[in-house]
Amino acid sequence: MTSPLPSSSAASVLDLAPVVPVVVVPDAAVAVPLARALVAGGLPAIEVTLRTPAALDAIRAIADEVPDAVVGAGTVITPEQVARCVAAGARFLVSPGWTVALLEAMRGSGVPFLPGVSTTSEVVALLERGVREMKFFPAQAAGGTAYLKSLAGPLPQARFCPTGGIGPATAPEYLSLPNVGCVGGSWMAPADAVAAGDWARVEELARGAAGLRDAGGTCR
């Protein structure tokens, strides 16, 4: 099977860029120019959330027309959604939480996945199942950087993409943690810019986000 991630990059979604844009696509017609602007700004991994009826068509369009993008599906909560997202061209999957059935569906999908966690017990349960890369959600509400720092000691093998309430001011602190590979956020694709087709603004915001790894200090 061909790897779903670019061969020139690290094998993990967490290592493609410091920030994964979490985008809500209201109309599939904007998916391609939005993705092109994000990629041009230095953010190739794009999580399209399943929060609108246009999401699957948006994933399909990006997969077909933006070869430099690594498009994924977010807010995946059922095994049926796993199958539909992969069929549409999703190259990674992200869930806000997990169940055994959902985890097995994602594991069997053939693409990388980030199951969501917010407690130590959930992290340990995934580690028992051989899963070491996870989404920490909702990051700010679930304890933020202080919580992730406290997990790094007893559970250093777990790596996270914190998402939820993170912006350009707080992202560098997350990115400085040894157990954080990247963060997820939506500020690069504000609704007003998407509605106006202001792709230059999206690209500028993406470029700023792509530089946050340096702002965060040493990170993985």
Side-chain angles (χ1 to χ4, degrees), residues 100-121:
V100 172
L102 179 59
L103 183 66
E104 289 309 307
M106 291 192 294
R107 193 194 297 273
S109 69
V111 302
F113 57 93
L114 298 173
V117 296
S118 60
T119 70
T120 306
S121 294

Side-chain angles (χ1 to χ4, degrees), residues 18-95:
V19 180
V20 175
V22 180
V23 299
V24 178
V25 181
D27 183 341
V30 307
V32 168
L34 172 59
R36 286 175 175 160
L38 292 169
V39 170
L43 301 180
I46 302 167
E47 177 187 334
V48 177
T49 66
L50 301 184
R51 300 182 189 178
T52 70
L56 287 176
D57 286 338
I59 291 170
R60 188 173 293 108
I62 295 170
D64 289 344
E65 300 183 45
V66 191
D68 292 332
V70 180
V71 63
T75 323
V76 177
I77 59 173
T78 70
E80 293 75 19
Q81 287 178 331
V82 169
R84 290 198 294 267
C85 290
V86 173
R91 295 166 69 183
F92 65 93
L93 304 168
V94 184
S95 66

Side-chain angles (χ1 to χ4, degrees), residues 15 26 44 50 66 75 77 81 127-128 130 144 153 168 183 194 197 203 207 216 219:
D15 297 321
L50 301 184
V66 191
T75 323
I77 59 173
Q81 287 178 331
L127 291 174
E128 283 185 348
V183 301
V194 173
E203 182 178 342
R207 186 167 291 109
C219 52

